[in-house]
């Protein structure tokens, strides 16, 4: 949708009228009268100061119909002026004043000296932010989303008498939500984060350089390049060096040399960036070689080796680039701070909240991980004055599922401010729009990252009224209802990978919310901008209802005498069709962070919305390998061409693990309840001659009862060279059951199963037993 400029509410009109009536203030423009105020900028303005002046002039013209002239400070001071930035007239109007440099890159001072107004800020972003503050506070302007803003018409634009200075609570402010990557939206809400599309006219941003943002060990010292010749550069786990999902051996001098050299090379190519990340990969497996273990044991944390290593890298960087900061992570196994080591002055640890509960503020939740995190936050804040936070503000498993965390956001931001955090990265639904109250959450975070003490109630009222229009009361009722659940944070925390089924929100409330959203749509049916916002805001409610359907979609496998039993009910078809229509209307909604889960969910929706014709009854069915779900595709196995397979394709399971990696959930199978079935699998093993050991194991598992319903295991020596059929189980299936297969136990020292090179699965056969 295009940006929509909407009429201001009666409340904003009243506020603006009061401002205009303040005789001690300054009126910048009056509708129907010629311009009497001139906008003045420095003779050599920065790109953001020039943009600030253009934004002020253009917005006032839209609001009042009056275009203010724009000039620079080389001429005399106009009779009435708005001075943006530090001009040669500033001292004459203010007398002695604190240097602009004391405001930092983002701070500003707003001063009225009737008949003049001064918006005093530095050349980076301060002047621009001062203009946006002026437009928001005194003009009623709002920028809720890239497609939805308020620029209300005014009879007069006036600024009351004031002299105030604002500086942000955090040097880096990044609501990492999809829409806030828009540079105009981010700048207008005073955000300056790395991922935002902020150009020179926005004043730039606090930027990570060299392609080194996070999880950079494998970038700086790639195992593909070094492992074959130098396995000692990588993690030793259970007595052996590993290549897959490895970290670095942080006590090895060659690793230090390689990382430092390659980091410096990247900085030289990108010297204007402020931050470069030297940080662990996004998995476990820290090195436990004797040298690394000794250092970590001494420091009581794996952060010991990490901080020691990063400090040495940062020391080398500082000699050539004294203003560059080296970021690293305090994440998962490095979250606990070291006992004695302190980060260097140019090292920025970024502490992560990934394990926590978000239903309640971090410091108030009864969840044990929260208590531990708060203590670790306190400890890290005593070690450094450059602590960053990576906070999580959405459900990454299902962006579009209800995730009622808003009541925790402000207290968390305050906690970080009080612990001297300087940069705050608030990761939300970054791959698409319209996650659960996404626009509200990103906007609120932008406000609180600037000023954590700004009261929540007026902000909520402001957003709901400006974003939903006449539907605001119903939308607010749903929002408040969602936030009334998840009260037992000790036993039922709100976590970032929860399923919709796990939520404390009851089905009865979801049904009630569905009705409220439909009434909200009717309330704004004649206002397209508001109607779109309401329709998208309803997505989480509809998605949660969809996720709790007794059938997650039409079956993939049919082995039943009663296919009609699995016919999709009309109400389920309607729900799926409604969801798909809204997703198509938005076009850029992402359901889950996982691309696979996003695609699977869309496929389920389509199969419900337009179910295929029911097949005929059948008592025996073949299940091809491509129907099976495979975990960690490319790491645990993959689908490959196999001329020995009957259809030329097989699922190849690698010999580097023993996980139950290939599965078939019986929630995807149409079967006759209470009937007995036999499951067989056509399998071959690429054996190693002269070696023996477990070739594969397979079975049926009851996820609800946590018990096996049948299991087999075969040794390599007992198998032939080609495909053979193996009976897996004969049992009575239930929806909670699933077939599984893994490639057999392996030698952890060798990192592989010595008895075979791979296991191949051609197909399964499921048959009802008469």
């Amino acid at each position: 949708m295009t940006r929509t400029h909407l009429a201001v509410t009666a409340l904003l009109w009243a506020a603006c009228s009061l401002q205009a009536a303040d005789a001690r203030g300054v009126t910048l423009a009056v509708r129907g009268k010629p311009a009497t105020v001139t906008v003045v900028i420095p003779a050599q303005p920065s790109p953001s100061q020039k943009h600030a002046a253009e934004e002020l002039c253009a917005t006032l013209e839209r609001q009042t119909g009056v275009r203010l002239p724009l000039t620079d400070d080389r001429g005399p001071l106009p009779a009435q002026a708005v001075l943006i930035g530090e001009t040669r007239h500033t001292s004459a109007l203010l007398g002695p004043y604190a240097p602009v440099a004391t405001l930092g890159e983002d701070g500003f001072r707003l001063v009225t000296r009737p008949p003049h107004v001064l918006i005093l800020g530095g050349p980076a972003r301060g002047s621009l932010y001062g203009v946006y503050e002026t437009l928001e506070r005194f003009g009623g302007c709002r920028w809720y989303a890239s497609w939805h803003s308020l620029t209300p018409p005014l009879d007069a634009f006036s600024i009351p008498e004031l002299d105030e200075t604002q500086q942000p609570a955090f040097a880096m402010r990044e609501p990492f939500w999809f829409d806030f990557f828009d540079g105009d939206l981010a700048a207008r809400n005073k955000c300056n984060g790395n991922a935002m599309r902020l150009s020179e006219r926005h004043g730039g941003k606090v930027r990570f350089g060299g392609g080194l943002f996070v999880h950079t060990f494998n970038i700086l010292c790639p195992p593909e390049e070094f492992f074959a010749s130098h396995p000692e550069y990588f993690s030793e786990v259970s007595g052996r060096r590993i290549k897959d999902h490895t970290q670095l051996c942080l006590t090895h001098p060659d690793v230090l040399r390689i990382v430092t050299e390659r980091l410096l090379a990247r900085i030289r190519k990108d010297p204007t960036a402020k931050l470069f990340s030297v940080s662990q990969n996004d998995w476990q497996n820290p090195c436990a070689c004797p040298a690394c273990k000794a250092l970590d044991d001494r420091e009581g944390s794996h952060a010991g080796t990490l901080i020691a290593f990063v400090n040495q890298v940062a020391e080398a960087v500082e000699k050539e680039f004294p203003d560059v900061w080296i970021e690293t992570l305090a994440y998962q196994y490095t979250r606990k701070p070291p006992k004695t080591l302190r980060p260097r002055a140019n090292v920025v640890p970024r502490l992560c909240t990934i394990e926590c509960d978000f239903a309640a503020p971090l410091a108030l939740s009864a969840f044990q991980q929260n208590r531990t995190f708060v203590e670790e936050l306190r400890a890290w804040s005593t070690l450094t004055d450059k602590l960053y936070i990576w906070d999580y503000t959405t459900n990454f498993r299902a962006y579009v599922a209800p995730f009622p965390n808003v009541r925790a956001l402000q207290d968390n931001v305050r906690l970080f401010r009080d612990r001297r955090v300087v940069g705050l990265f608030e990761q939300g639904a970054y791959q698409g729009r319209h996650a659960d109250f996404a626009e509200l959450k990103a906007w609120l975070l932008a406000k609180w990252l600037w000023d954590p003490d700004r009261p929540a109630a007026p902000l909520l009222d402001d957003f709901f009224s400006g974003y939903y229009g006449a539907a605001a009361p119903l939308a607010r009722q749903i929002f408040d209802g969602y936030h009334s659940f998840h009260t037992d944070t000790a036993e039922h925390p709100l976590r970032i990978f929860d399923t919709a089924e796990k939520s404390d929100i009851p089905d009865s409330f979801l049904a009630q919310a569905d009705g409220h959203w439909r009434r909200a749509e009717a309330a704004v049916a004649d206002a397209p901008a508001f109607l779109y916002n309401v329709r998208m805001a309803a997505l989480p409610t509809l998605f949660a209802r969809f996720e709790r359907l007794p059938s997650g979609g039409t079956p993939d496998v049919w082995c039943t005498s009663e296919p009609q039993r699995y016919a999709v009910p009309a109400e389920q078809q309607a729900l799926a069709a409604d969801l798909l229509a809204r997703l198509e209307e938005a076009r850029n909604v992402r359901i889950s962070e996982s691309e696979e889960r996003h695609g699977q969910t869309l496929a389920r929706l389509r199969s419900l919305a337009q179910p295929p014709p029911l097949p005929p009854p059948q008592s025996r069915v073949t299940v091809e390998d491509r129907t099976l779900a495979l975990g960690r595709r490319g790491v645990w196995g993959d689908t490959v061409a196999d001329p020995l397979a009957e259809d030329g394709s097989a699922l190849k399971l690698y010999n580097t693990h023993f996980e139950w990696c290939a599965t078939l959930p019986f929630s995807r199978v149409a079967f006759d309840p209470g009937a007995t079935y036999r499951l067989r699998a056509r399998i071959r093993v690429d054996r190693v001659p002269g070696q023996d050991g477990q070739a594969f194991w397979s079975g049926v598992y009851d996820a609800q009862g946590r018990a096996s319903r049948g299991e087999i295991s075969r040794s390599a020596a007992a198998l032939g060279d080609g495909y053979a059929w193996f009976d897996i189980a004969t049992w009575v299936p239930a929806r909670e059951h699933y077939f599984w297969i893994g490639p057999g136990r392996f030698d952890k020292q060798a990192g592989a199963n010595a008895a075979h090179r791979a296991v191949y699965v051609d197909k399964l056969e499921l048959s009802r037993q008469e």
Side-chain angles (χ1 to χ4, degrees), residues 626-647:
R626 293 181 183 275
T627 306
L628 303 182
L630 177 63
R632 295 183 65 184
R633 184 175 291 275
V635 176
W636 284 349
D638 213 338
T639 301
V640 299
D642 181 7
L644 299 179
E646 289 186 355
D647 64 347

PDB file of all heavy atoms in Angstrom, residues 626-647:
ATOM      1  N   ARG A 626      10.838 -39.514  -0.918  1.00  0.00           N
ATOM      2  CA  ARG A 626      10.673 -38.064  -0.888  1.00  0.00           C
ATOM      3  C   ARG A 626       9.546 -37.619   0.038  1.00  0.00           C
ATOM      4  O   ARG A 626       9.438 -36.433   0.372  1.00  0.00           O
ATOM      5  CB  ARG A 626      10.407 -37.545  -2.305  1.00  0.00           C
ATOM      6  CG  ARG A 626      11.603 -37.710  -3.239  1.00  0.00           C
ATOM      7  CD  ARG A 626      11.318 -37.171  -4.640  1.00  0.00           C
ATOM      8  NE  ARG A 626      12.437 -37.395  -5.531  1.00  0.00           N
ATOM      9  CZ  ARG A 626      13.491 -36.591  -5.642  1.00  0.00           C
ATOM     10  NH1 ARG A 626      13.544 -35.500  -4.897  1.00  0.00           N
ATOM     11  NH2 ARG A 626      14.473 -36.858  -6.483  1.00  0.00           N
ATOM     12  N   THR A 627       8.705 -38.549   0.461  1.00  0.00           N
ATOM     13  CA  THR A 627       7.633 -38.214   1.398  1.00  0.00           C
ATOM     14  C   THR A 627       8.149 -38.087   2.824  1.00  0.00           C
ATOM     15  O   THR A 627       7.532 -37.412   3.649  1.00  0.00           O
ATOM     16  CB  THR A 627       6.533 -39.290   1.332  1.00  0.00           C
ATOM     17  OG1 THR A 627       6.104 -39.443  -0.020  1.00  0.00           O
ATOM     18  CG2 THR A 627       5.333 -38.919   2.192  1.00  0.00           C
ATOM     19  N   LEU A 628       9.272 -38.717   3.117  1.00  0.00           N
ATOM     20  CA  LEU A 628       9.808 -38.694   4.473  1.00  0.00           C
ATOM     21  C   LEU A 628      10.381 -37.321   4.807  1.00  0.00           C
ATOM     22  O   LEU A 628      10.947 -36.640   3.946  1.00  0.00           O
ATOM     23  CB  LEU A 628      10.899 -39.751   4.643  1.00  0.00           C
ATOM     24  CG  LEU A 628      10.514 -41.197   4.326  1.00  0.00           C
ATOM     25  CD1 LEU A 628      11.696 -42.120   4.585  1.00  0.00           C
ATOM     26  CD2 LEU A 628       9.299 -41.628   5.127  1.00  0.00           C
ATOM     27  N   ALA A 629      10.242 -36.911   6.057  1.00  0.00           N
ATOM     28  CA  ALA A 629      10.875 -35.683   6.546  1.00  0.00           C
ATOM     29  C   ALA A 629      12.310 -36.014   6.953  1.00  0.00           C
ATOM     30  O   ALA A 629      12.568 -37.043   7.579  1.00  0.00           O
ATOM     31  CB  ALA A 629      10.105 -35.129   7.738  1.00  0.00           C
ATOM     32  N   LEU A 630      13.239 -35.155   6.585  1.00  0.00           N
ATOM     33  CA  LEU A 630      14.649 -35.372   6.896  1.00  0.00           C
ATOM     34  C   LEU A 630      15.172 -34.193   7.696  1.00  0.00           C
ATOM     35  O   LEU A 630      15.134 -33.046   7.237  1.00  0.00           O
ATOM     36  CB  LEU A 630      15.471 -35.533   5.613  1.00  0.00           C
ATOM     37  CG  LEU A 630      16.985 -35.699   5.799  1.00  0.00           C
ATOM     38  CD1 LEU A 630      17.293 -36.973   6.580  1.00  0.00           C
ATOM     39  CD2 LEU A 630      17.693 -35.719   4.452  1.00  0.00           C
ATOM     40  N   GLY A 631      15.678 -34.467   8.897  1.00  0.00           N
ATOM     41  CA  GLY A 631      16.265 -33.428   9.720  1.00  0.00           C
ATOM     42  C   GLY A 631      17.663 -33.050   9.251  1.00  0.00           C
ATOM     43  O   GLY A 631      18.434 -33.892   8.802  1.00  0.00           O
ATOM     44  N   ARG A 632      17.973 -31.764   9.326  1.00  0.00           N
ATOM     45  CA  ARG A 632      19.293 -31.227   8.973  1.00  0.00           C
ATOM     46  C   ARG A 632      19.767 -31.744   7.618  1.00  0.00           C
ATOM     47  O   ARG A 632      20.846 -32.319   7.488  1.00  0.00           O
ATOM     48  CB  ARG A 632      20.311 -31.535  10.080  1.00  0.00           C
ATOM     49  CG  ARG A 632      19.997 -30.833  11.398  1.00  0.00           C
ATOM     50  CD  ARG A 632      21.049 -31.086  12.449  1.00  0.00           C
ATOM     51  NE  ARG A 632      22.326 -30.509  12.054  1.00  0.00           N
ATOM     52  CZ  ARG A 632      23.441 -30.656  12.755  1.00  0.00           C
ATOM     53  NH1 ARG A 632      23.440 -31.370  13.872  1.00  0.00           N
ATOM     54  NH2 ARG A 632      24.561 -30.103  12.349  1.00  0.00           N
ATOM     55  N   ARG A 633      18.907 -31.505   6.648  1.00  0.00           N
ATOM     56  CA  ARG A 633      19.232 -31.945   5.291  1.00  0.00           C
ATOM     57  C   ARG A 633      20.572 -31.350   4.856  1.00  0.00           C
ATOM     58  O   ARG A 633      20.856 -30.178   5.047  1.00  0.00           O
ATOM     59  CB  ARG A 633      18.121 -31.512   4.334  1.00  0.00           C
ATOM     60  CG  ARG A 633      18.303 -31.998   2.887  1.00  0.00           C
ATOM     61  CD  ARG A 633      17.099 -31.613   2.042  1.00  0.00           C
ATOM     62  NE  ARG A 633      15.904 -32.346   2.416  1.00  0.00           N
ATOM     63  CZ  ARG A 633      15.579 -33.552   1.953  1.00  0.00           C
ATOM     64  NH1 ARG A 633      16.396 -34.174   1.094  1.00  0.00           N
ATOM     65  NH2 ARG A 633      14.457 -34.135   2.337  1.00  0.00           N
ATOM     66  N   GLY A 634      21.402 -32.184   4.263  1.00  0.00           N
ATOM     67  CA  GLY A 634      22.730 -31.777   3.858  1.00  0.00           C
ATOM     68  C   GLY A 634      23.787 -32.057   4.893  1.00  0.00           C
ATOM     69  O   GLY A 634      24.981 -32.097   4.589  1.00  0.00           O
ATOM     70  N   VAL A 635      23.363 -32.260   6.138  1.00  0.00           N
ATOM     71  CA  VAL A 635      24.292 -32.586   7.224  1.00  0.00           C
ATOM     72  C   VAL A 635      24.100 -34.027   7.675  1.00  0.00           C
ATOM     73  O   VAL A 635      25.056 -34.790   7.791  1.00  0.00           O
ATOM     74  CB  VAL A 635      24.102 -31.629   8.412  1.00  0.00           C
ATOM     75  CG1 VAL A 635      25.005 -32.030   9.580  1.00  0.00           C
ATOM     76  CG2 VAL A 635      24.402 -30.198   7.989  1.00  0.00           C
ATOM     77  N   TRP A 636      22.842 -34.426   7.894  1.00  0.00           N
ATOM     78  CA  TRP A 636      22.540 -35.800   8.307  1.00  0.00           C
ATOM     79  C   TRP A 636      22.249 -36.699   7.109  1.00  0.00           C
ATOM     80  O   TRP A 636      22.278 -37.921   7.239  1.00  0.00           O
ATOM     81  CB  TRP A 636      21.361 -35.813   9.259  1.00  0.00           C
ATOM     82  CG  TRP A 636      21.717 -35.345  10.646  1.00  0.00           C
ATOM     83  CD1 TRP A 636      22.958 -35.127  11.149  1.00  0.00           C
ATOM     84  CD2 TRP A 636      20.798 -35.043  11.700  1.00  0.00           C
ATOM     85  NE1 TRP A 636      22.892 -34.707  12.442  1.00  0.00           N
ATOM     86  CE2 TRP A 636      21.568 -34.647  12.811  1.00  0.00           C
ATOM     87  CE3 TRP A 636      19.416 -35.069  11.817  1.00  0.00           C
ATOM     88  CZ2 TRP A 636      20.993 -34.282  14.038  1.00  0.00           C
ATOM     89  CZ3 TRP A 636      18.836 -34.700  13.031  1.00  0.00           C
ATOM     90  CH2 TRP A 636      19.621 -34.322  14.124  1.00  0.00           C
ATOM     91  N   GLY A 637      21.942 -36.109   5.971  1.00  0.00           N
ATOM     92  CA  GLY A 637      21.619 -36.899   4.797  1.00  0.00           C
ATOM     93  C   GLY A 637      21.035 -36.032   3.711  1.00  0.00           C
ATOM     94  O   GLY A 637      20.968 -34.809   3.851  1.00  0.00           O
ATOM     95  N   ASP A 638      20.611 -36.678   2.613  1.00  0.00           N
ATOM     96  CA  ASP A 638      20.009 -35.919   1.523  1.00  0.00           C
ATOM     97  C   ASP A 638      19.310 -36.884   0.565  1.00  0.00           C
ATOM     98  O   ASP A 638      19.546 -38.100   0.604  1.00  0.00           O
ATOM     99  CB  ASP A 638      21.057 -35.111   0.767  1.00  0.00           C
ATOM    100  CG  ASP A 638      20.492 -33.804   0.246  1.00  0.00           C
ATOM    101  OD1 ASP A 638      19.257 -33.699   0.098  1.00  0.00           O
ATOM    102  OD2 ASP A 638      21.293 -32.872   0.003  1.00  0.00           O
ATOM    103  N   THR A 639      18.457 -36.340  -0.302  1.00  0.00           N
ATOM    104  CA  THR A 639      17.840 -37.129  -1.365  1.00  0.00           C
ATOM    105  C   THR A 639      18.811 -37.193  -2.543  1.00  0.00           C
ATOM    106  O   THR A 639      19.320 -36.153  -2.989  1.00  0.00           O
ATOM    107  CB  THR A 639      16.513 -36.494  -1.800  1.00  0.00           C
ATOM    108  OG1 THR A 639      15.635 -36.426  -0.662  1.00  0.00           O
ATOM    109  CG2 THR A 639      15.855 -37.308  -2.898  1.00  0.00           C
ATOM    110  N   VAL A 640      19.086 -38.407  -3.024  1.00  0.00           N
ATOM    111  CA  VAL A 640      20.082 -38.586  -4.085  1.00  0.00           C
ATOM    112  C   VAL A 640      19.529 -39.503  -5.173  1.00  0.00           C
ATOM    113  O   VAL A 640      18.601 -40.280  -4.939  1.00  0.00           O
ATOM    114  CB  VAL A 640      21.388 -39.189  -3.518  1.00  0.00           C
ATOM    115  CG1 VAL A 640      22.017 -38.283  -2.477  1.00  0.00           C
ATOM    116  CG2 VAL A 640      21.144 -40.587  -2.953  1.00  0.00           C
ATOM    117  N   ALA A 641      20.138 -39.401  -6.339  1.00  0.00           N
ATOM    118  CA  ALA A 641      19.839 -40.359  -7.412  1.00  0.00           C
ATOM    119  C   ALA A 641      20.507 -41.694  -7.073  1.00  0.00           C
ATOM    120  O   ALA A 641      21.664 -41.734  -6.653  1.00  0.00           O
ATOM    121  CB  ALA A 641      20.355 -39.832  -8.741  1.00  0.00           C
ATOM    122  N   ASP A 642      19.760 -42.779  -7.227  1.00  0.00           N
ATOM    123  CA  ASP A 642      20.298 -44.111  -6.917  1.00  0.00           C
ATOM    124  C   ASP A 642      19.746 -45.098  -7.942  1.00  0.00           C
ATOM    125  O   ASP A 642      18.566 -45.463  -7.893  1.00  0.00           O
ATOM    126  CB  ASP A 642      19.901 -44.518  -5.498  1.00  0.00           C
ATOM    127  CG  ASP A 642      20.461 -45.876  -5.113  1.00  0.00           C
ATOM    128  OD1 ASP A 642      21.259 -46.439  -5.898  1.00  0.00           O
ATOM    129  OD2 ASP A 642      20.107 -46.381  -4.033  1.00  0.00           O
ATOM    130  N   PRO A 643      20.566 -45.562  -8.877  1.00  0.00           N
ATOM    131  CA  PRO A 643      20.066 -46.490  -9.907  1.00  0.00           C
ATOM    132  C   PRO A 643      19.583 -47.811  -9.344  1.00  0.00           C
ATOM    133  O   PRO A 643      18.829 -48.526 -10.015  1.00  0.00           O
ATOM    134  CB  PRO A 643      21.279 -46.669 -10.817  1.00  0.00           C
ATOM    135  CG  PRO A 643      22.454 -46.288  -9.990  1.00  0.00           C
ATOM    136  CD  PRO A 643      21.985 -45.230  -9.050  1.00  0.00           C
ATOM    137  N   LEU A 644      19.974 -48.132  -8.110  1.00  0.00           N
ATOM    138  CA  LEU A 644      19.526 -49.382  -7.512  1.00  0.00           C
ATOM    139  C   LEU A 644      18.135 -49.259  -6.898  1.00  0.00           C
ATOM    140  O   LEU A 644      17.487 -50.270  -6.624  1.00  0.00           O
ATOM    141  CB  LEU A 644      20.526 -49.844  -6.449  1.00  0.00           C
ATOM    142  CG  LEU A 644      21.951 -50.130  -6.950  1.00  0.00           C
ATOM    143  CD1 LEU A 644      22.849 -50.555  -5.789  1.00  0.00           C
ATOM    144  CD2 LEU A 644      21.936 -51.198  -8.033  1.00  0.00           C
ATOM    145  N   ALA A 645      17.695 -48.047  -6.669  1.00  0.00           N
ATOM    146  CA  ALA A 645      16.345 -47.837  -6.138  1.00  0.00           C
ATOM    147  C   ALA A 645      15.326 -48.047  -7.251  1.00  0.00           C
ATOM    148  O   ALA A 645      15.598 -47.758  -8.417  1.00  0.00           O
ATOM    149  CB  ALA A 645      16.213 -46.432  -5.561  1.00  0.00           C
ATOM    150  N   GLU A 646      14.145 -48.528  -6.903  1.00  0.00           N
ATOM    151  CA  GLU A 646      13.150 -48.870  -7.921  1.00  0.00           C
ATOM    152  C   GLU A 646      12.695 -47.654  -8.722  1.00  0.00           C
ATOM    153  O   GLU A 646      12.378 -47.779  -9.900  1.00  0.00           O
ATOM    154  CB  GLU A 646      11.959 -49.565  -7.263  1.00  0.00           C
ATOM    155  CG  GLU A 646      12.288 -50.966  -6.781  1.00  0.00           C
ATOM    156  CD  GLU A 646      11.060 -51.697  -6.261  1.00  0.00           C
ATOM    157  OE1 GLU A 646       9.981 -51.066  -6.189  1.00  0.00           O
ATOM    158  OE2 GLU A 646      11.187 -52.892  -5.935  1.00  0.00           O
ATOM    159  N   ASP A 647      12.652 -46.486  -8.073  1.00  0.00           N
ATOM    160  CA  ASP A 647      12.249 -45.277  -8.796  1.00  0.00           C
ATOM    161  C   ASP A 647      13.442 -44.391  -9.124  1.00  0.00           C
ATOM    162  O   ASP A 647      13.274 -43.251  -9.559  1.00  0.00           O
ATOM    163  CB  ASP A 647      11.213 -44.486  -7.987  1.00  0.00           C
ATOM    164  CG  ASP A 647      11.771 -43.956  -6.679  1.00  0.00           C
ATOM    165  OD1 ASP A 647      12.874 -44.393  -6.269  1.00  0.00           O
ATOM    166  OD2 ASP A 647      11.127 -43.089  -6.056  1.00  0.00           O
TER     167      ASP A 647
END
